[in-house]
Amino acid sequence: QVQLVESGGGLVQAGGSLRLSCAASGSIFSINSMDWYRQAPGKQRELVAGITRGGSTNYADSVKGRFTIPRDNAKNTVYLQMNSLKPEDTAVYYCAAEVTYYSGRDYRTNDYWGQGTQVTVSS
């Protein structure tokens, strides 16, 4: 199986920076895409940023110019570098990945989610 483990959340003042990590482990054949979502209480989950295996990235309009999604392929890890944080960035951030893995019998492609990490931006 595949596991996604997130870390890096916390409390930060508006204007500050935070770096989230999402590390994938397991019988990974390829990580086809990795994305960051966030969800605030009472609000819809939204896609924040994503990166494909080929390196294409996309960002929500609300975070363009402030967030980036670097990755370390050797570590099967993606990051969400969050700069110029605003109170409206406060949410639980989730990593999601589409992963092709070897089950021990065959190859399968599934979506996986991290456990979520809280980001709180104070004013």
Side-chain angles (χ1 to χ4, degrees), residues 89-104:
D89 295 318
T90 296
V92 177
Y93 284 70
Y94 296 93
C95 178
E98 183 186 283
V99 180
T100 298
Y101 65 96
Y102 184 63
S103 70

Side-chain angles (χ1 to χ4, degrees), residues 22-95:
C22 176
S25 62
S27 300
I28 298 169
F29 177 74
S30 66
I31 300 174
N32 303 315
S33 63
M34 296 189 81
D35 304 298
W36 288 97
Y37 291 83
R38 67 186 181 188
Q39 187 166 24
K43 295 186 177 181
Q44 294 286 107
R45 181 190 66 187
E46 65 173 334
L47 177 66
V48 177
I51 187 167
T52 68
R53 182 167 58 87
S56 297
T57 58
N58 68 93
Y59 300 92
D61 288 341
S62 60
V63 307
K64 284 181 179 176
R66 299 190 297 120
F67 292 9
T68 59
I69 185 168
R71 68 179 176 182
D72 186 338
N73 288 334
K75 297 181 179 180
N76 286 329
T77 299
V78 296
Y79 307 89
L80 185 65
Q81 179 64 50
M82 303 183 291
N83 301 320
S84 301
L85 282 161
K86 304 174 180 179
E88 49 263 46
D89 295 318
T90 296
V92 177
Y93 284 70
Y94 296 93
C95 178

Side-chain angles (χ1 to χ4, degrees), residues 98-117:
E98 183 186 283
V99 180
T100 298
Y101 65 96
Y102 184 63
S103 70
R105 178 169 52 86
D106 57 3
Y107 291 94
R108 301 178 182 180
T109 299
N110 283 326
D111 296 326
Y112 295 90
W113 290 83
Q115 80 279 11
T117 185

